[in-house]
């Protein structure tokens, strides 16, 4: 060791940990239903806010768009009939990254708009 200050530290200071680190999201969606675009849009918005987050996608059954955070189901299109609002998912991720209890997201936007 050279004895120079700052050279013995291996781990980054806590303020340098990427937001969302330690949070794992799994999104299960129906590909034949055309929900992949919705998944990609949501994943992009989440990664923008929480670059350290782990997001995994899985193909699901007909009509599915289910979201788990750290193994807990937080949103179900099969139950709600629509898709989650980004702000609600971002809030759930914030809670998970702070170690707060998660609540199921019950607000949803319609899956399509008929003009």
């Amino acid at each position: 060791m050279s004895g120079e200050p700052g050279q013995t530290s291996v781990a980054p200071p806590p303020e340098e940990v990427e937001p969302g680190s330690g949070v794992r999201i799994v999104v299960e969606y129906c590909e034949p239903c055309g929900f992949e675009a919705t998944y990609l849009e949501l994943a992009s918005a989440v990664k923008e806010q929480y670059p350290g987050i782990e997001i995994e996608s899985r193909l699901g059954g007909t009509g599915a768009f289910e979201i788990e955070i750290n193994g807990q189901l937080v949103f179900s299109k099969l139950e709600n009939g629509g898709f989650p609002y980004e702000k609600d998912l971002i809030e759930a991720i914030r809670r998970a990254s702070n170690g707060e209890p998660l609540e199921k997201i019950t607000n949803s936007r319609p899956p399509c708009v008929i003009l």
Side-chain angles (χ1 to χ4, degrees):
M1 288 199 170
S2 63
E4 293 179 22
Q7 288 193 356
T8 56
S9 178
V10 184
E15 64 271 4
E16 291 183 25
V17 172
E18 283 190 299
S21 294
V23 177
R24 183 168 185 267
I25 296 180
V26 176
V27 180
E28 183 179 306
Y29 65 89
C30 173
E31 187 178 38
C33 302
F35 297 164
E36 183 177 21
T38 304
Y39 160 71
L40 293 172
E41 182 182 314
L42 204 59
S44 175
V46 166
K47 278 292 214 182
E48 193 174 303
Q49 285 278 6
Y50 294 98
I53 204 159
E54 181 184 341
I55 304 176
E56 178 187 331
S57 66
R58 294 184 189 151
L59 299 182
T62 302
F65 198 88
E66 317 299 291
I67 302 174
E68 291 181 359
I69 297 179
N70 294 339
Q72 181 179 336
L73 183 68
V74 294
F75 182 83
S76 171
K77 181 181 177 298
L78 297 174
E79 292 175 9
N80 295 327
F83 294 100
Y85 288 101
E86 287 178 11
K87 65 177 181 58
D88 292 333
L89 183 57
I90 296 294
E91 173 60 17
I93 294 166
R94 184 199 64 76
R95 292 176 67 90
S97 63
N98 289 338
E100 298 173 30
L102 295 175
E103 296 174 11
K104 212 160 198 186
I105 298 170
T106 54
N107 292 332
S108 65
R109 57 187 169 94
C112 63
V113 177
I114 299 173
L115 300 175

